Amino acid sequence: MKNIAVIGSGYVGLVTGTCFADLGNSVICVDINEERVHDLQNGIMPIYEPGLEEMVRRNIAAGRIRFTTSYADALNDTAKPAELVFIAVNTPMGVDGEAELRYVRSAAESIAKTMDHSLVIINKSTVPVGTGDWVSDIVKNTQPTPIPFSVVSNPEFLREGAAITDFMAPDRVVLGSLNEEAAQRVAQLYLPLRGPIMITDLRTAEMIKYASNAFLATKISFINEIANICEALGADVKEVAAGMGYDKRIGRAFLDAGLGYGGSCFPKDVKALAHMANVQGKHPQLLEAVMMINTDARRLIVSKVRNLIGNNGTHLNRLEGRTIGVLGLAFKANTDDIRESQPIDIIRMLQADGAKVQAYDPVAMKNASQLLQNVRLCEDTYEAIAGCDAVILATEWNEFKNLDLERMHKLMRTPVVIDGRNLYDPQAMSAAGFIYRGVGRGYATAN
Ligand code: UDX
Ligand code: UDX
C-alpha cells in the first residue's frame, strides 16, 4: 500500500487515481475545479466512462480515495504523507500545434511550493520530449528550501470508453527516469497488474507515447487512403482490412476506415510531434500526410451527401432545402467526449452548404449542445431520422447497429444512408431499399 496524490481529476487523472485505489493504495485526487471536486466527493462523475462511477463510489466508501482542492491536504497529510504524486492535468493544443504546458507548469509550481518531504513526481500527461527535465527545473527553482525529489515519466495509454480495462490490463507500462530507484518505486505500483514494465530514460519514455499515438493514427489514415482507392476500384475495404489483419506483422486493430480519428489525443499528439520535428529542422512528411488524409476523411463524407442529394447551387447552397440526420456526436462510441469530434465538423460543413441538420447521440448531446448552433437535437434515433433526405451514421454506438430498417425507410423523405462507420452490409441495405454508401465499400463514389 502506498500513499498517492493525483493532480487533475479529468479522464486520465480520475481513472488512474481510482484504479490505484482499487488496487489497495490510499489516493488523494486534487483538482482546481471546486465544483468538480464537490461532485466527486458525492460520487457524481464529471465524465461518462463505463464502470467508473461504481468504482469511485466503492473506493470512497472503503476510505481509499478522497478528493480535494488543496495541495497541502493532498501532499502533506500528517497521517498519510504522499510518497508519489502523479501530474495528470490537461495539455491542450497550442496555437501552432504545440502542446500547451501552462497547466503542467502550474501543477509543478504548486507541488514545489507545498511539498514538505521528499517525493517522486510522475508525469502522466502527454508532454513534449524534454518536459520531464523542464518540470525538474521548475520544481528545483520554485522550492522555498531544497527538498529532494525525482521526476518519472509514465505516459498513459488509456482509451476513453475502455479506460479501466486499459489500466487494469496494460499491454505495457512505460517508465522513464534518470533515477532508476525512483522508477522502481513507481514500478512497484504496477506489479499487481502483471503487464510488461519497461524502464528507460525520461526523454525516450516521452517519445514512446508520441510515437505510439502517431503510429496508430498512421494506421487509421493508411486504411482511409486504401478505402478511397477501394471505392474507385470496386474493392471492399472491410474485407481488405480483415485480410491484412491476419498477418501478425500488421494486426487487425486500428484498421477501421471511416471518418478518420478525432478525440482529445490523436489530433493533438500527431500535430505536436510534427511541431517538435519542425522546430528541430526535420521534415515530418509522413505525419503531414496522415493529418491531411484525416481531414479529407471528413470532407469525403460531405461530398457523398452532395453527390447523392445536392442541388446545382454553388457550394454555399448545394444542400439548401435538404434535411440531414446525424446519428452520433461523440468522436467514438462509449464516451460523451466531443473534443475534435468528426461528427461536429461534418455538421458544420453541411450547415455551410445550407442543409438543415437534426442529430441524436445517447450520451454526448449535452456537451455537443454547447458547440453546435441551429441543430435540432432529438430525443431518440428515429426522431433524428424522420423527414430526412439523408442520414449519416457518425458514431458506432451499439444502438445504431441494429436499426429497424423498415421503420427508418418509412420515416425518411429519401432513403439515403451514408455509413461513416461501415456498420451495415451494402447488399442488405440495397435490398432494404436504401441508397447506401459506406466508406471504401466497393462503390465508385469517391468524389
Ligand atoms: C489527459 C492528459 O493529461 C493529456 O495530456 C492527454 O493527452 C489526454 O488526457 P484529460 O485527462 O483528458 O487530459 O484532461 P481533462 O479531462 O481536461 O482533465 C484535466 C483536469 O485537470 C481537469 O479536471 C482540470 O480541472 C484539472 N486541472 C487543470 C487542475 O487540477 N489543475 C490545473 O492547473 C489544470
Ligand atoms: C487514444 C489512444 O488509443 C490511447 O492509448 C491514449 O493515448 C489516448 O488516446 P482515444 O482517443 O480514447 O485513445 O480513442 P481511440 O480508441 O484510440 O480512437 C481514437 C479515434 O480514432 C476515434 O475517433 C476513433 O473513432 C478513431 N478510429 C480508431 C478509427 O477511425 N479507426 C480505427 O480503426 C480506430
Side-chain angles (χ1 to χ4, degrees):
M1 196 277 278
K2 295 262 193 282
N3 298 329
I4 299 171
V6 180
I7 318 294
S9 300
Y11 281 91
V12 172
L14 187 55
V15 170
T16 302
T18 309
C19 288
F20 277 137
D22 211 54
L23 292 171
N25 297 289
S26 173
V27 177
I28 305 187
C29 295
V30 195
D31 202 289
I32 46 168
N33 182 336
E34 279 177 28
E35 193 187 329
R36 182 167 282 210
V37 169
H38 182 261
D39 282 350
L40 282 166
Q41 284 164 342
N42 293 297
I44 300 166
M45 296 304 102
I47 51 166
Y48 173 85
E49 182 64 39
L52 185 62
E53 181 170 328
E54 185 275 325
M55 204 185 236
V56 171
R57 288 180 175 221
R58 184 154 43 79
N59 283 286
I60 292 176
R64 285 190 296 262
I65 192 164
R66 61 188 186 85
F67 301 91
T68 179
T69 51
S70 154
Y71 276 78
D73 186 14
L75 300 183
N76 304 334
D77 186 324
T78 39
K80 292 175 181 173
E83 302 153 66
L84 304 139
V85 51
F86 284 85
I87 300 181
V89 295
N90 42 336
T91 51
M93 206 188 293
V95 277
D96 293 322
E98 80 284 7
E100 165 66 77
L101 289 177
R102 87 188 112 125
Y103 303 127
V104 175
R105 171 190 282 279
S106 144
E109 286 173 350
S110 301
I111 293 169
K113 282 183 203 151
T114 316
M115 63 193 279
D116 67 1
H117 59 281
S118 159
L119 279 178
V120 179
I121 300 168
I122 306 133
N123 200 3
K124 266 235 161 272
S125 302
T126 306
V127 288
V129 177
T131 302
D133 298 329
W134 178 75
V135 164
S136 191
D137 288 343
I138 291 174
V139 175
K140 222 176 282 165
N141 296 332
T142 313
Q143 285 181 332
T145 49
I147 300 171
F149 69 94
S150 320
V151 174
V152 175
S153 161
N154 173 211
E156 55 88 11
F157 300 102
L158 309 176
R159 280 166 304 168
E160 286 177 22
I164 292 176
T165 319
D166 283 351
F167 186 97
M168 290 298 188
D171 284 346
R172 80 307 209 179
V173 171
V174 174
L175 299 172
S177 185
L178 301 176
N179 179 335
E180 169 82 21
E181 194 252 322
Q184 290 293 355
R185 282 177 66 192
V186 183
Q188 296 294 319
L189 288 178
Y190 287 100
L191 286 181
L193 306 180
R194 296 166 179 268
I197 298 177
M198 176 180 173
I199 296 184
T200 182
D201 65 85
L202 255 177
R203 284 172 183 243
T204 304
E206 290 166 344
M207 190 55 156
I208 287 171
K209 171 65 196 260
Y210 278 105
S212 301
N213 274 2
F215 184 77
L216 293 170
T218 303
K219 270 188 111 174
I220 297 169
S221 280
F222 178 84
I223 203 67
N224 279 325
E225 178 140 300
I226 295 293
N228 210 4
I229 303 171
C230 280
E231 283 184 3
L233 297 178
D236 185 341
V237 77
K238 251 185 130 165
E239 301 283 308
V240 171
M244 288 169 66
Y246 286 117
D247 187 327
K248 290 194 189 65
R249 294 169 301 175
I250 298 174
R252 174 63 185 80
F254 282 70
L255 285 182
D256 288 324
L259 308 180
Y261 55 83
S264 68
C265 289
F266 287 176
K268 144 174 101 61
D269 293 349
V270 178
K271 227 179 191 158
L273 183 55
H275 179 81
M276 280 184 261
N278 279 318
V279 167
Q280 296 302 325
K282 305 291 176 194
H283 303 292
Q285 299 165 68
L286 179 59
L287 300 179
E288 298 293 348
V290 166
M291 290 189 278
M292 284 192 285
I293 294 167
N294 198 53
T295 308
D296 269 1
R298 301 172 187 199
R299 290 199 196 119
L300 286 169
I301 295 289
V302 178
S303 298
K304 283 177 179 155
V305 179
R306 284 182 190 143
N307 288 344
L308 290 168
I309 60 161
N311 55 46
N312 290 327
T314 66
H315 82 280
L316 289 176
N317 59 11
R318 250 189 281 189
L319 292 172
E320 190 88 60
R322 306 289 189 267
T323 301
I324 296 164
V326 176
L327 298 184
L329 295 166
F331 79 100
K332 64 171 194 178
N334 299 323
T335 179
D336 63 348
D337 198 343
I338 47 148
R339 288 181 280 184
E340 298 284 331
S341 152
Q342 316 88 318
I344 288 188
D345 231 21
I346 288 170
I347 288 174
R348 290 191 174 135
M349 286 189 256
L350 296 170
Q351 289 180 317
D353 268 15
K356 270 200 207 142
V357 179
Q358 47 194 50
Y360 169 73
D361 186 289
V363 302
M365 303 261 272
K366 189 164 158 253
N367 287 341
S369 67
Q370 285 156 16
L371 280 189
L372 290 170
Q373 269 152 15
N374 302 320
V375 172
R376 206 180 117 215
L377 295 174
C378 301
E379 294 287 317
D380 67 38
T381 310
Y382 295 97
E383 192 188 322
I385 288 172
C388 284
D389 298 290
V391 162
I392 300 176
L393 288 162
T395 309
E396 72 287 18
W397 285 101
N398 277 342
E399 64 184 81
F400 300 150
K401 291 180 183 165
N402 272 307
L403 294 171
D404 179 342
L405 296 180
E406 217 178 296
R407 184 173 172 202
M408 184 170 177
H409 196 281
K410 276 195 199 125
L411 284 172
M412 292 181 72
R413 195 147 60 185
T414 46
V416 171
V417 174
I418 311 289
D419 184 353
R421 299 287 183 167
N422 287 342
L423 301 178
Y424 286 85
D425 175 53
Q427 272 80 35
M429 290 302 279
S430 236
F434 288 95
I435 299 164
Y436 173 88
R437 297 290 182 269
V439 177
R441 306 305 300 281
Y443 289 96
T445 52
N447 303 308

